[in-house]
Amino acid sequence: MAGHSKWKNIQRRKNAQDAKRGKVFMKLAREIFVAAKQGGGDPEMNPGLRMVIDKAKASNMPNDNIDRAIKKATGDLDGVNYEEFYYEGYGPGGAAVMVKVLTDNKNRTAAEVRHAFNKNDGNLGENGCVSYMFDRKGYLVIDRDMHEQDEEEVMLEAIEAGAEEMETSDETFEIYTEVDQFTSVKQALEAAGYTFETAELTMIPQTYNELDEEQAAKMLKLIDMLEDDDDVQDIYHNFEANEEVLEKLS
């Protein structure tokens, strides 16, 4: 997992930009819609929906918005149908990129995603061309400023709960789980009094592709352009750059 902190910092930058552009609630509503459509509108009986609702509340999404998305999915309100797709390709410098979308018009979304890659020295590829470079994992982030426990104590509790691995930095504890252990680990740590800055299932790259300043600048533009697309829910990549380059470009 080494190197993931640089990826995380870029993800944080992405999340901050999402919030600034006012896109978070709309994208979360789509996630809630799909989760409720697939597993039903009761979060107690639908762990996937429960997880997305927790994510929405962490982003301060109003309860009315959450309820409306569930009602649309369960037929209580008229709404469109969203389908989930992944697009795969290569960014500047050969960085592997996976794009998760929820769309009601696959042709429109495919054209827009392809345009973003082409405009930023990337190349949209076939399904499977980069997904083998990523592992699906549970990912939990605890803000160290919010908890007084030391690293050893948190690690012991995380491992006892069933976590696979933990990394630490000056700011956070980052905990990784297998997908089928994510909910039980999260619940066990919540019961122990921990709160999470991030709690999600995500795609973690197996290796990282370090880009120079010019390539990194183009890669960030690609990420920004994809994030501007309302259909794009998440972007996973194995891009990293040294701290000096990231600071210069941020």
Side-chain angles (χ1 to χ4, degrees):
M1 300 293 181
H4 182 253
S5 291
K6 293 181 181 179
W7 172 87
K8 178 196 66 181
N9 290 339
I10 296 168
Q11 292 296 101
R12 282 179 171 174
R13 176 184 184 275
K14 170 182 77 67
N15 292 339
Q17 288 176 331
D18 274 354
K20 184 177 180 181
R21 294 175 183 140
K23 293 180 178 290
V24 168
F25 293 168
M26 178 175 59
K27 294 189 176 191
L28 286 169
R30 291 191 183 190
E31 284 193 64
I32 292 168
F33 178 97
V34 170
K37 196 82 171 175
Q38 292 175 343
D42 182 357
E44 296 302 321
M45 303 297 293
N46 183 348
L49 178 60
R50 175 74 261 167
M51 185 173 64
V52 181
I53 289 175
D54 288 346
K55 181 179 176 181
K57 289 183 175 180
S59 297
N60 299 313
M61 185 174 183
N63 287 333
D64 286 349
N65 296 41
I66 295 172
D67 292 340
R68 191 177 304 115
I70 293 173
K71 287 177 179 178
K72 283 184 178 181
T74 55
D76 294 332
L77 291 175
D78 292 334
V80 297
N81 250 333
Y82 294 110
E83 295 181 89
E84 180 179 293
F85 294 98
Y86 284 85
Y87 294 99
E88 303 179 32
Y90 299 91
V97 183
M98 294 181 65
V99 183
K100 177 185 174 182
V101 305
L102 289 174
T103 180
D104 59 348
N105 186 327
K106 187 178 180 181
N107 290 335
R108 177 196 67 219
T109 305
E112 291 176 351
V113 170
R114 186 178 301 279
H115 174 65
F117 274 85
N118 290 342
K119 189 171 182 179
N120 294 284
D121 288 349
N123 179 36
L124 191 61
E126 298 294 327
N127 285 345
C129 68
V130 301
S131 56
Y132 70 93
M133 302 180 190
F134 295 81
D135 294 318
R136 188 160 176 79
K137 297 288 183 182
Y139 179 54
L140 301 159
V141 180
I142 297 172
D143 187 337
R144 296 187 71 156
D145 290 339
M146 300 292 290
H147 299 277
E148 297 180 357
Q149 289 87 343
D150 62 26
E151 178 179 340
E152 183 176 354
E153 182 180 354
V154 177
M155 180 174 290
L156 286 173
E157 289 186 299
I159 298 301
E160 184 176 343
E164 182 181 37
E165 185 177 352
M166 187 177 91
E167 291 183 359
T168 62
S169 68
D170 291 339
E171 297 83 23
T172 62
F173 300 112
E174 296 175 81
I175 298 165
Y176 303 88
T177 78
E178 294 293 343
V179 171
D180 59 359
Q181 294 293 310
F182 173 76
T183 299
S184 60
V185 172
K186 179 175 179 289
Q187 290 175 342
L189 291 176
E190 284 175 334
Y194 293 100
T195 56
F196 304 107
E197 179 181 303
T198 301
E200 63 185 8
L201 295 175
T202 189
M203 303 295 290
I204 304 294
Q206 297 167 359
T207 58
Y208 290 81
N209 187 338
E210 184 165 352
L211 305 184
D212 61 29
E213 184 175 334
E214 181 180 356
Q215 293 168 334
K218 291 178 180 178
M219 184 67 186
L220 290 175
K221 287 180 180 178
L222 171 59
I223 293 171
D224 286 346
M225 192 168 178
L226 288 168
E227 281 296 328
D228 274 337
D229 189 330
D230 293 341
D231 296 335
V232 172
Q233 294 295 116
D234 281 300
I235 302 167
Y236 310 110
H237 57 77
N238 70 349
F239 148 56
E240 71 173 6
N242 67 52
E243 295 296 334
E244 185 177 331
V245 168
L246 289 176
E247 285 293 327
K248 187 174 182 179
L249 295 174
S250 64

